[in-house]
């Protein structure tokens, strides 16, 4: 089991607007999974992420995650049924900042997809950030809530 690529990624997203209820659901999922990492997918139309999917972190780890390919494909199929598309792969950092770890970079196989990280390092202020990977380097993308 490893991070795998989902091969229907269209254009590169440089900004993502996350619906408030999606954000709140993600924070709740991350808090529930802590001290382990939670993970999943976000989908939507254009720049707006409206579809939230929590997938099982098969690694059951506090420092890394992986998702079953069949669960990812089922989520993407569900997005398509809602005329949405895959926008981001998210995971939580229960105790570290919202930055791509070396492990995250090494396992970021899906070009053009936003890697969203929700940090619970400050329990009072969850921090959601997004990154695009180009040639093994991460670049932060703008993420806002709506
Ligand atoms: Zn990570």
């Amino acid at each position: 089991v490893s991070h795998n690529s989902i091969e229907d990624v269209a254009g590169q997203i440089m900004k993502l607007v996350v619906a408030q209820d999606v954000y709140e659901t993600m924070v709740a999922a991350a808090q529930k999974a802590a001290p382990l990492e939670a993970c999943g997918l976000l989908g939507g139309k254009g720049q707006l992420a409206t579809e939230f999917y929590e997938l099982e972190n098969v690694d059951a780890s506090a420092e890394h995650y992986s998702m079953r390919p069949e669960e990812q494909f089922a989520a993407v199929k569900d997005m398509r049924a809602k005329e949405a598309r895959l926008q981001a792969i998210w995971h939580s950092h229960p105790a570290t900042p919202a930055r791509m770890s070396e492990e995250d970079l090494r396992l970021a196989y899906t070009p053009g997809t936003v890697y969203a990280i929700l940090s619970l390092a400050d329990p009072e202020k969850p921090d959601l950030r997004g990154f695009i990977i180009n040639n093994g380097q991460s670049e932060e993308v703008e993420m806002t809530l709506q």
Side-chain angles (χ1 to χ4, degrees):
V1 176
S2 67
H3 294 235
N4 68 316
S5 60
I6 293 171
E7 323 242 338
D8 74 334
V9 177
Q12 192 151 302
I13 299 171
M14 290 311 288
K15 180 186 175 179
L16 203 56
V17 180
V18 177
Q20 186 70 31
D21 65 318
V22 167
Y23 171 75
E24 282 165 17
T25 308
M26 188 191 295
V27 170
Q31 287 169 338
K32 190 165 177 230
L36 304 182
E37 291 191 1
C39 59
L41 306 178
L42 298 182
K45 293 172 193 169
Q47 295 181 323
L48 181 62
T50 53
E51 307 301 325
F52 174 86
Y53 300 84
E54 181 182 14
L55 274 54
E56 183 184 348
N57 178 2
V58 184
D59 294 352
S61 163
E63 282 152 16
H64 51 88
Y65 70 100
S66 61
M67 302 178 279
R68 285 193 185 87
E70 56 268 33
E71 265 193 273
Q72 296 186 60
F73 285 114
V76 169
K77 198 176 162 194
D78 187 69
M79 285 176 207
R80 288 208 190 105
K82 293 169 175 162
E83 296 180 339
R85 73 177 185 96
L86 175 67
Q87 293 171 321
I89 297 171
W90 70 270
H91 71 285
S92 64
H93 281 180
T96 55
R99 279 190 229 113
M100 294 288 282
S101 68
E102 272 180 42
E103 183 85 346
D104 289 335
L105 278 172
R106 199 170 62 76
L107 295 172
Y109 293 148
T110 310
T113 298
V114 173
Y115 284 84
I117 300 177
L118 177 73
S119 169
L120 300 179
D122 179 349
E124 304 298 314
K125 274 170 76 181
D127 187 20
L128 178 63
R129 293 175 186 270
F131 303 89
I132 283 276
I133 313 304
N134 278 318
N135 302 316
Q137 305 280 341
S138 68
E139 191 182 334
E140 189 161 357
V141 301
E142 189 183 345
M143 279 191 110
T144 54
L145 300 181
Q146 175 177 296

